[in-house]
């Protein structure tokens, strides 16, 4: 998307929004909303209507705002201290908590304010009506779409703003880009089991000595040639002993 062309379109006299110039807070606010819409993959005309709603609800400031009125006036409201705040004037504690606010004032912060306007309009969290009920594909009902937020209050005026934002978005080549899906973690493969080293037949089992031959007697075999004279003497005595026995 060419944001230079987009803002040039908004500054043109024919657009009908912002006059012929935008303040820095207006530029920053519009850019935040466009970036959020693009990251959500929002259709061009739906984003145009979100921008038009923020333009109307914030009095063209394009920044989160607090409900107008002095403290005495606001204290008279049945929903005080959860007075209207954000890019859409969210009132009542239960409503504010739907969008992640845990205390009054948090809808003045961009992350919560952005979530409120996008989730509220996309999911029907304000009135039960959703963007897709009025703007989807080739079907566009900018006037009826006001029911998403607040009945038919200023419906035609906001519809005109939506057309201006639509024209600027088209000139800039806006394309919604759905966020990339995070990869599903895969379990690590099991560690390879190393086979035990093969054992040679000789080392597979300890050698077992062979049993002696039955009937064999110690000293019954004469010493081999080259044996010592002492061995020969012992052998001679043993033979004499056997003969005497």
């Amino acid at each position: 998307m060419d944001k230079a062309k987009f803002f040039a379109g908004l500054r043109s006299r024919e657009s009908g929004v912002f006059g012929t110039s935008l303040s820095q807070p207006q530029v920053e606010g519009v850019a935040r909303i466009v970036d959020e819409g693009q990251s959500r993959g929002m259709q061009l005309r739906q984003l145009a209507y979100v921008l038009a709603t923020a333009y109307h609800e914030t009095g063209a400031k394009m920044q989160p705002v607090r409900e107008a009125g002095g403290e005495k006036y606001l204290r008279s409201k049945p929903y005080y201290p959860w007075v209207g705040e954000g890019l859409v004037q969210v009132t009542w504690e239960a409503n504010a908590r739907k969008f992640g606010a845990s205390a009054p004032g948090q809808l003045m912060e961009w992350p919560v304010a952005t979530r409120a306007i996008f989730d509220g309009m996309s999911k029907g969290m304000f009135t039960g009506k959703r963007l897709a009920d009025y703007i989807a594909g080739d079907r566009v009902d900018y006037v009826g779409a006001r029911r998403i937020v607040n009945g038919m209050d200023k419906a035609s005026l906001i519809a005109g703003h939506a057309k201006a934002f639509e024209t600027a978005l088209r000139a800039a080549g806006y394309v919604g880009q759905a966020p990339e899906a995070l990869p599903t973690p895969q379990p690590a493969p099991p560690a390879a089991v190393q086979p035990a080293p093969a054992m040679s037949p000789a080392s597979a089992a300890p050698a077992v000595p062979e049993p002696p031959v039955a009937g064999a007697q110690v000293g019954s075999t004469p010493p081999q040639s080259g044996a010592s004279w002492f061995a020969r003497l012992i052998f001679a005595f043993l033979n004499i002993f056997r003969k005497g026995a």
Side-chain angles (χ1 to χ4, degrees), residues 110-190:
W110 267 103
V112 184
T114 303
R115 179 181 176 185
I117 193 169
F118 276 92
D119 285 359
M121 297 183 73
S122 297
K123 300 178 181 180
M125 297 173 70
F126 294 132
T127 65
K129 302 294 185 181
R130 305 172 303 150
L131 281 166
D133 295 335
Y134 302 94
I135 307 167
D138 295 331
R139 181 168 56 87
V140 181
D141 181 4
Y142 283 148
V143 175
R146 181 57 178 163
R147 294 187 177 91
I148 298 168
V149 176
N150 190 9
M152 293 299 288
D153 176 59
K154 306 292 184 181
S156 296
L157 177 65
I158 299 169
H161 299 332
K163 291 176 183 177
F165 282 109
E166 177 186 346
T167 299
L169 287 168
R170 288 194 185 283
Y174 169 85
V175 177
Q177 297 174 348
E180 295 182 4
L182 295 176
T184 303
Q186 298 295 327

Side-chain angles (χ1 to χ4, degrees), residues 1-13 15 17-35 51 62 164-165 167-173:
M1 173 179 170
D2 188 332
K3 286 188 176 178
K5 287 185 178 180
F6 173 65
F7 283 107
L10 294 180
R11 292 187 182 97
S12 68
R13 294 185 183 278
S15 73
V17 291
F18 299 113
T20 57
S21 64
L22 285 80
S23 67
Q24 190 59 33
Q26 286 174 323
V27 170
E28 292 174 357
V30 170
R32 281 177 179 267
I33 295 171
V34 171
D35 289 346
L51 285 162
M62 305 308 286
F165 282 109
T167 299
L169 287 168
R170 288 194 185 283

Side-chain angles (χ1 to χ4, degrees), residues 40-101:
R40 289 175 176 241
M42 181 168 277
Q43 296 176 24
L44 186 149
R45 286 169 171 160
Q46 290 183 350
L47 178 57
Y49 195 77
V50 170
L51 285 162
T53 298
Y55 182 87
H56 175 74
E57 295 284 330
T58 66
K61 291 181 175 66
M62 305 308 286
Q63 294 284 327
V65 297
R66 192 168 189 253
E67 185 176 348
E71 193 65 19
K72 182 178 180 180
Y73 166 76
L74 294 176
R75 283 180 178 275
S76 69
K77 297 292 185 179
Y79 44 74
Y80 185 87
W82 298 84
V83 298
E85 293 177 340
L87 297 169
V88 175
Q89 296 293 282
V90 179
T91 57
W92 298 97
E93 179 179 357
N95 292 332
R97 289 188 181 278
K98 290 178 185 177
F99 304 111

Side-chain angles (χ1 to χ4, degrees), residues 212-218 220:
V213 179
Q217 296 182 5
V218 177
S220 61

